[in-house]
């Protein structure tokens, strides 16, 4: 009897949590999995190399070298609208640009440029 009650309880929990998980997945699919990222000048100042003076960072994280998704003198390989890619390449070394996008497998996918950081 106890085993049957545990099984029924576990099944009820699965049924109650499944719609919430599906709704979260639906929300992620609508936004395309994009988040706000800072691209370009990081304002992280180091005295010794390697230092991520320029890179890609999550916008909601405090600035710290270990949280850099990408760092280097040149931006990572880019995908997105051609004017967005040109904007990032032109401003990467001297300015910070806030974008909506994602960084996966060494590529930065730009959905939209939101403005300066």
């Amino acid at each position: 009897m106890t085993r049957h009650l545990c099984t029924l309880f576990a099944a009820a929990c699965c049924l109650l949590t499944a719609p919430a998980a599906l709704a979260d997945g639906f929300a992620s699919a609508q936004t395309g999995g994009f988040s706000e990222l800072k691209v370009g000048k990081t304002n992280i100042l180091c005295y010794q190399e390697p230092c991520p003076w320029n890179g890609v960072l999550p916008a909601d994280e405090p600035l710290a070298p270990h949280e850099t998704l990408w760092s280097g003198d040149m931006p990572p390989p880019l995908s997105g609208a051609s004017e967005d890619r040109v904007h990032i390449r032109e401003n990467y070394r001297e300015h910070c640009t806030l974008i909506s996008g994602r960084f996966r497998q060494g590529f930065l996918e730009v959905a939209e440029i939101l403005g300066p950081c």
Side-chain angles (χ1 to χ4, degrees):
M1 178 75 172
T2 305
R3 185 177 295 164
H4 292 293
L5 287 175
C6 289
T7 304
L8 284 173
F9 180 72
C13 288
C14 289
L15 290 174
L16 291 175
T17 57
L22 290 173
D24 288 343
F26 181 69
S28 295
Q30 283 182 325
T31 60
F34 297 123
S35 60
E36 289 186 359
L37 300 171
K38 295 178 182 179
V39 180
K41 193 171 181 180
T42 63
N43 290 326
I44 297 173
L45 304 175
C46 306
Y47 296 106
Q48 292 180 328
E49 289 191 37
C51 183
W53 288 294
N54 298 79
V56 178
L57 293 155
D60 58 349
E61 298 285 327
L63 295 178
H66 66 276
E67 293 164 347
T68 305
L69 302 171
W70 170 271
S71 67
D73 292 336
M74 300 299 292
L78 301 167
S79 66
S82 62
E83 58 270 4
D84 293 345
R85 293 191 320 258
V86 168
H87 177 84
I88 288 174
R89 285 187 188 112
E90 289 177 350
N91 291 285
Y92 183 76
R93 293 183 67 118
E94 299 296 325
H95 303 285
C96 178
T97 304
L98 185 64
I99 69 161
S100 173
R102 66 179 153 220
F103 185 78
R104 287 194 302 185
Q105 300 174 350
F107 283 88
L108 179 62
E109 183 179 348
V110 181
E112 177 183 7
I113 291 184
L114 304 175
C117 298

